[in-house]
């Protein structure tokens, strides 16, 4: 019974994660998913230690699209990006992209 409970609990978590991901892919834009991922990954440090490729994989997109959004956000002064790292400069502006 303990093993069965463990397996079912783990399977339930996995399915929940999968359904959340599919929901995000179906009903959110790439920009919204990217903004959300950066905000979650950064937490209070305001820094994400991931490449554009890693972020793209996380949100189910391609690096070119992530780089395009990041470049736009850098021009607006919302983030700064360096090799393997993204720093949030304007959290409120980024959060507005997540919700729009």
């Amino acid at each position: 019974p303990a093993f069965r409970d463990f397996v079912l609990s783990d399977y339930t978590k996995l399915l929940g994660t999968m359904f959340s991901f599919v929901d995000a892919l179906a009903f959110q834009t790439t920009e919204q998913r990217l903004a959300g991922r950066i905000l979650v990954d950064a937490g209070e440090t305001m820094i994400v230690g991931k490449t554009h490729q890693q972020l793209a994989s996380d949100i189910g997109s391609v690096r070119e699209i992530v780089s395009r959004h990041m470049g736009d956000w850098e021009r607006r002064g919302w983030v700064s990006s360096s090799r393997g790292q993204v720093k949030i400069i304007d959290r409120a502006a980024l959060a507005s992209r997540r919700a729009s």
Side-chain angles (χ1 to χ4, degrees):
F3 179 72
R4 184 191 68 213
D5 290 344
F6 168 76
V7 169
L8 289 176
S9 173
D10 195 50
Y11 186 69
T12 301
K13 289 177 192 174
L14 182 62
L15 278 176
T17 301
M18 183 190 71
F19 283 128
S20 294
F21 185 69
V22 169
D23 183 59
L25 283 174
F27 299 110
Q28 291 181 335
T29 65
T30 304
E31 186 177 29
Q32 289 171 322
R33 293 193 315 268
L34 179 59
R37 171 54 53 195
I38 289 171
L39 289 167
V40 167
D41 285 355
E44 296 301 316
T45 65
M46 305 282 275
I47 296 174
V48 177
K50 291 186 176 182
T51 64
H52 290 190
Q53 180 63 50
Q54 290 168 320
L55 288 167
S57 293
D58 287 351
I59 65 167
S61 186
V62 294
R63 184 197 55 78
E64 291 81 5
I65 301 296
V66 167
S67 294
R68 185 180 312 145
H69 287 300
M70 295 297 290
D72 181 44
W73 294 346
E74 280 190 86
R75 284 187 292 282
R76 294 174 187 231
W78 298 353
V79 298
S80 69
S81 190
S82 60
R83 190 171 191 89
Q85 181 174 309
V86 177
K87 181 178 180 184
I88 299 173
I89 297 170
D90 188 345
R91 182 181 281 276
L94 201 56
S96 75
R97 299 316 306 161
R98 180 184 192 182
S100 62

